[in-house]
Amino acid sequence: MRTLIVNGTVVNANGSSEADVLVDGETIALVGRGLAAQGITADRTIDAAGRYVIPGAVDVHTHFDMPMGPVFSKDTFETGTRAAAFGGTTTIIDFAPQDRGHSLREALDAWHARAEGHCAIDYGFHVSVSDVNEATLAEMDGLVAEGVTDFKVFTAYPGRMYSDDAAILRTMQRAAENGALVMVHAENGIAIDVLMDANAEAGRTAPWFHGLSRPAGLEAEAANRVIRLAEAAGSAVYIVHLSSRDALEAVEAGRARGAAAYAETCPQYLFLSLDDLGNGFEGAKFVCSPPLRPKDHQAALWDGLRRDSLQVVSTDHCPFDFHGQKDLGRDDFRRIPNGLPTVEDRLDLLHDGGVVGGRISRERWIEIASTSPARMFGLAGRKGVVAPGADADLVVYDPARRHVISAATHHMAVDYSCFEGRTVQGGSDIVMSRGRVIVEQGRYTGRPGDGRFLRRAPTGAALRRRAL
Ligand code: URP
Ligand code: ZN
Ligand code: ZN
């Protein structure tokens, strides 16, 4: 099957041009001016006049079907990847969580079983490590060889996913040898537990106190600590879901010293704030960790994106229904399952707030949502770029179309939206995954199982040299 996309503006991270795109089978065959006039034919021609032709977005941080206490995140691989596709995202990387006392292999096998045959778009895995020991460190090498090239460790969640400094250092040392990238959830969980318990025991049990129990300084402390550990180990480090000006300063200080420190932020930290945690128990809809910050942190994060101190915007999509899941914590914020539903909205929010809002160029929009995540997570040249040889993961994007985000119309399997009623400018009209149209005119035209597992190249060594 050959598809010719004509009359559009191709937007890549390194520039935009008026060009046609020829898709042949699963990949992009040609990008150039006037391909139709040159006699190139196709089975289908799509007229993209007035619209952008952009690489399908890459979301390197999702949690589908993930257990959290007594509940599971609401989107399965089927519903979550379909919702991602509606939002112009054509690649996701999900986290396979290791259970204490079990191997990394068990975690990965379980995640393969959950995803295989269900995904609408291509997918990869990271492994979240909760039990660092000789056996799990040795397992890392084999997983890297299988294309699972990064491992998340936590300074948060004592007694569950938490690793101490020794465990994190040893993970980083191993990564320096096998080329993996270590991702870190950086919050001082030991101190946070003291603050959470003190608030709850004093009767301060509303969602608002989730935010107050996790101050930005304790995110910055952990970010600084793990960057120092990475420097000691000679490895790169990638801070996930960075939420605050304070943590950003720690990353920038590390980068100024020459540390191979990288970080992502998420739409919730760019568009929502601590204020959303107020309003009584409604605030539970906005409980995630790290928490939403006072509004004035947002400008600092946008600055960080412009300066490339933050390289990626991922979602940390981890959806829980308000009714029946979030409300487990009605009497105690510590029992509210942490996480927000955002996988469908990222590209449009960044276009609206970033490009239309004058904060970033349209090329930087593509870079932080597609190109840079693909490059940093071992998919360079394959995903995140409109160029010959790349997978034909393409979006015909209307930069002028306005729509209202709402739980009534979104495709995520969750009963509320964090952005309910917000009008955004920009939307994905046609979404193509490896050459096949999977979303068109608001309809899903793909099938569960279209998406394939992506074996990714290790990037730790290049990132350590700051060469990516
Ligand atoms: O609140 C969050 N972020 N939930 C997802 C799990 C995690 O720590 O990334
Ligand atoms: Zn996390
Ligand atoms: Zn997460």
Side-chain angles (χ1 to χ4, degrees), residues 115-232:
E116 201 179 335
H118 300 294
C119 292
I121 55 174
D122 289 352
Y123 61 96
F125 295 127
H126 320 281
V127 173
S128 293
V129 183
S130 63
D131 203 347
V132 177
N133 56 48
E134 281 310 318
T136 53
L137 289 170
E139 277 191 287
M140 282 172 69
D141 304 353
L143 267 47
V144 170
E146 287 177 33
V148 176
T149 52
D150 8 75
F151 300 87
K152 180 181 177 188
V153 292
F154 296 72
T155 60
Y157 308 139
R160 290 180 286 151
M161 300 304 288
Y162 174 83
S163 288
D164 65 17
D165 291 355
I168 293 172
L169 182 65
R170 293 177 78 203
T171 307
M172 289 172 165
Q173 287 171 330
R174 193 73 179 213
E177 288 166 18
N178 64 28
L181 175 62
V182 177
M183 310 169 79
V184 186
H185 178 137
E187 287 185 290
N188 185 328
I190 302 278
I192 285 169
D193 270 8
V194 173
L195 301 180
M196 289 206 304
D197 291 347
N199 274 322
E201 282 155 22
R204 297 186 287 268
T205 56
W208 175 253
F209 294 100
H210 169 81
L212 298 195
S213 302
R214 308 182 82 95
L218 294 183
E219 185 186 17
E221 183 281 321
N224 172 60
R225 180 160 34 105
V226 299
I227 292 166
R228 293 286 188 179
L229 291 174
E231 289 174 84

Side-chain angles (χ1 to χ4, degrees), residues 90-124:
T90 52
T91 301
I92 59 97
I93 309 181
D94 202 82
F95 289 83
Q98 178 199 20
D99 289 328
R100 279 184 186 234
H102 293 261
S103 64
L104 304 186
R105 160 68 47 207
E106 286 171 87
L108 186 58
D109 286 351
W111 246 244
H112 272 298
R114 276 168 146 84
E116 201 179 335
H118 300 294
C119 292
I121 55 174
D122 289 352
Y123 61 96

Side-chain angles (χ1 to χ4, degrees), residues 61-63 95 152 185 240-241 316-318:
H61 192 152
T62 65
H63 301 280
F95 289 83
K152 180 181 177 188
H185 178 137
V240 294
H241 48 46
D316 192 13
H317 175 80
C318 191

Side-chain angles (χ1 to χ4, degrees), residues 144-430:
V144 170
E146 287 177 33
V148 176
T149 52
D150 8 75
F151 300 87
K152 180 181 177 188
V153 292
F154 296 72
T155 60
Y157 308 139
R160 290 180 286 151
M161 300 304 288
Y162 174 83
S163 288
D164 65 17
D165 291 355
I168 293 172
L169 182 65
R170 293 177 78 203
T171 307
M172 289 172 165
Q173 287 171 330
R174 193 73 179 213
E177 288 166 18
N178 64 28
L181 175 62
V182 177
M183 310 169 79
V184 186
H185 178 137
E187 287 185 290
N188 185 328
I190 302 278
I192 285 169
D193 270 8
V194 173
L195 301 180
M196 289 206 304
D197 291 347
N199 274 322
E201 282 155 22
R204 297 186 287 268
T205 56
W208 175 253
F209 294 100
H210 169 81
L212 298 195
S213 302
R214 308 182 82 95
L218 294 183
E219 185 186 17
E221 183 281 321
N224 172 60
R225 180 160 34 105
V226 299
I227 292 166
R228 293 286 188 179
L229 291 174
E231 289 174 84
S235 79
V237 62
Y238 178 94
I239 312 279
V240 294
H241 48 46
L242 185 145
S243 69
S244 65
R245 181 178 45 233
D246 312 58
L248 178 62
E249 282 166 6
V251 171
E252 292 191 328
R255 289 174 70 82
R257 288 194 302 275
Y262 302 87
E264 65 179 21
T265 189
C266 308
Q268 49 272 35
Y269 304 119
L270 294 167
F271 296 101
L272 302 172
S273 75
L274 182 62
D275 295 346
D276 292 296
L277 281 169
N279 192 20
F281 194 68
E282 279 292 298
K285 293 177 176 172
F286 300 90
V287 166
C288 58
S289 295
L292 302 179
R293 302 299 183 189
K295 217 174 170 47
D296 56 302
H297 288 247
Q298 293 172 358
L301 297 180
W302 284 107
D303 277 345
L305 284 168
R306 275 192 295 273
R307 286 197 296 267
D308 203 40
S309 306
L310 298 168
Q311 293 77 32
V312 171
V313 177
S314 68
T315 59
D316 192 13
H317 175 80
C318 191
F320 297 99
D321 274 341
F322 183 61
H323 299 287
Q325 294 192 311
K326 290 280 190 188
D327 58 10
L328 290 170
R330 191 167 281 285
D331 300 321
D332 184 343
F333 68 85
R334 293 173 299 180
R335 286 205 269 277
I336 300 170
N338 284 205
L340 307 185
T342 45
V343 78
E344 190 168 348
D345 304 318
R346 177 182 62 130
L347 201 59
D348 296 342
L349 286 165
L350 289 175
H351 180 265
D352 181 62
V355 183
V356 179
R359 294 183 173 102
I360 53 173
S361 68
R362 64 187 178 187
E363 290 77 17
R364 184 64 178 154
W365 168 58
I366 295 304
E367 186 160 42
I368 60 180
S370 304
T371 316
S372 178
R375 201 164 48 211
M376 294 183 71
F377 289 90
L379 297 168
R382 216 165 138 194
K383 305 290 188 189
V385 63
V386 183
D391 284 354
D393 289 8
L394 294 166
V395 178
V396 177
Y397 194 86
D398 185 343
R401 176 158 66 81
R402 291 163 70 82
H403 62 105
V404 179
I405 297 177
S406 171
T409 48
H410 73 200
H411 302 87
M412 299 176 284
V414 62
D415 65 1
Y416 76 99
S417 169
C418 290
F419 304 101
E420 186 68 40
R422 182 186 291 246
T423 300
V424 286
Q425 182 176 325
S428 298
D429 284 356
I430 298 178

Side-chain angles (χ1 to χ4, degrees), residues 426-444:
S428 298
D429 284 356
I430 298 178
V431 180
M432 200 182 258
S433 167
R434 273 183 289 100
R436 276 195 296 129
V437 171
I438 58 168
V439 172
E440 186 164 16
Q441 291 182 336
R443 282 187 42 247
Y444 176 59

